[in-house]
């Protein structure tokens, strides 16, 4: 059975709300709207990180980031949140879809999703149609002080012995953890991880208000690994180099987010084949 590894992303920055005061039940209801559920949680005073059946949810005082994969219907989670709060408290909303490997299996298209989003908020769209393909809807501007995503690394067509072991479903959590070596590159992180049956792996990690998340889908038709983080590029680069050497991907895409004080959010993508 095919499983779609490429993600959809929802970022909402709020004002006049403390999202850390929202209950776990609220977040469970929200992710359920998308077709996912919460597996576990780690937290500190600045950030909660929920590991999901399909990717991750991160919650700060004034921001949420919900990432889902598979055939989840993420726009439904966005609608749920919009109905629970007043529009005036939504400072910005970013809805982002990487192009699915098999888009016909998804519950909706990006065009259908934006129609629903625009019933509450009027935003602009961006599209990529080169080596990396994806679509983005953006309402508002990011609040000063909100934690920013800096990079998303996407590796397709994973190769090598470890990739084959992951595809076989024979790699245990301890072996995956030691091979990825996240804590060697980011010592001191608080981590939460889960190995799915028959295969698949997710990791959430946090340090203060900063986050990192890793997801691996060893689907034979479309092996995929993603890393997303708020850490600076120079901090992430050694880990990125390690993953490229380990998996020798057929395609690699790096999406970078740069917030200019005068020009707003700039999103760039670099690709290697």
């Amino acid at each position: 059975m095919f499983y779609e590894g490429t993600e959809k992303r929802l970022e909402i920055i709020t004002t006049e709300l403390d999202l850390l005061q929202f209950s776990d039940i609220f977040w469970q209801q929200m992710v359920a709207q998308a077709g996912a559920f919460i597996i576990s949680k780690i937290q500190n005073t600045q950030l909660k990180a929920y590991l999901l059946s399909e990717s991750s949810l991160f919650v700060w005082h004034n921001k949420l980031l919900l990432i889902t994969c598979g055939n989840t219907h993420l726009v439904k989670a966005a609608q749920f949140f919009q109905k629970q709060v007043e529009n005036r408290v939504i400072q910005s909303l970013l809805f982002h879809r990487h192009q699915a490997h098999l888009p016909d299996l998804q519950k909706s298209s990006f065009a259908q999703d934006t129609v629903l989003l625009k019933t509450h908020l009027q935003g602009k769209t961006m599209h990529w149609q080169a080596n990396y393909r994806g679509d983005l809807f953006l309402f508002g501007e990011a609040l000063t002080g909100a934690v920013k995503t800096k990079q998303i690394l996407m590796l397709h067509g994973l190769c090598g012995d470890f990739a084959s072991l992951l595809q076989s479903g024979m790699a245990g959590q301890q072996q995956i953890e030691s091979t990825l070596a996240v804590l060697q590159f980011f010592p001191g992180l608080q981590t939460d991880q889960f190995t799915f049956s028959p295969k698949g792996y997710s990791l959430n990690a946090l340090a203060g208000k900063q986050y990192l998340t890793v997801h691996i889908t060893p689907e034979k038709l479309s092996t995929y690994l993603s890393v997303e983080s708020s850490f600076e590029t120079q901090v992430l680069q050694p880990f990125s180099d390690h993953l490229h050497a380990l998996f020798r991907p057929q395609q690699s895409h790096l999406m970078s987010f740069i917030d200019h004080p005068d020009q707003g959010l700039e999103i760039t993508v670099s690709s290697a084949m």
Side-chain angles (χ1 to χ4, degrees), residues 57-228:
L57 167 67
F58 296 91
V59 181
W60 293 262
H61 288 286
N62 65 341
K63 177 179 175 178
L64 71 89
L65 169 61
L66 175 56
I67 308 166
T68 65
C69 53
N71 64 346
T72 49
H73 206 180
L74 184 57
V75 72
K76 295 292 187 182
Q79 287 185 297
F80 173 84
F81 186 84
Q82 289 173 321
K83 291 176 181 178
Q84 304 303 313
V85 304
E86 298 180 32
N87 271 6
R88 65 180 178 82
V89 306
I90 297 179
Q91 180 77 19
S92 70
L93 182 148
L94 183 151
F95 182 85
H96 181 196
R97 290 182 64 155
H98 306 304
Q99 187 176 71
H101 184 73
L102 295 179
D104 290 344
L105 297 182
Q106 295 298 304
K107 297 187 186 315
S108 64
S109 66
F110 177 77
Q112 292 169 326
D113 290 344
T114 53
V115 168
L116 295 176
L117 291 169
K118 287 180 178 180
T119 60
H120 292 274
L121 303 169
Q122 292 300 311
K124 60 184 179 181
T125 58
M126 299 175 63
H127 309 279
W128 293 266
Q129 296 297 331
N131 292 326
Y132 166 78
R133 297 190 177 191
D135 305 279
L136 183 147
F137 170 90
L138 176 62
F139 162 81
E141 298 294 340
L143 255 182
T144 302
V147 173
K148 306 292 196 306
T149 298
K150 297 294 175 57
Q151 287 188 347
I152 304 174
L153 176 67
M154 296 161 275
L155 305 183
H156 296 266
L158 310 181
C159 301
D161 293 341
F162 188 58
S164 297
L165 185 64
L166 291 172
Q167 283 188 14
S168 72
M170 299 300 291
Q173 184 166 296
Q174 186 174 1
Q175 184 174 12
I176 297 173
E177 180 181 13
S178 62
T179 305
L180 292 179
V182 171
L183 291 179
Q184 292 183 32
F185 291 93
F186 306 94
L189 282 183
Q190 181 182 358
T191 62
D192 185 20
Q193 58 186 320
F194 189 81
T195 302
F196 294 89
S197 180
K199 51 192 173 183
Y201 174 82
S202 288
L203 176 141
N204 286 342
L206 52 87
K209 63 181 181 180
Q210 306 301 327
Y211 81 99
L212 174 110
T213 185
V214 179
H215 300 284
I216 305 175
T217 303
E219 168 63 49
K220 289 185 178 180
L221 292 177
S222 177
T223 53
Y224 177 74
L225 181 149
S226 68
V227 179
E228 176 172 339

Side-chain angles (χ1 to χ4, degrees), residues 20-31:
L20 288 180
Q21 297 301 313
F22 285 39
S23 69
D24 289 349
I25 293 175
F26 177 88
W27 301 119
Q28 180 64 76
Q29 291 172 338
M30 181 172 170
V31 300

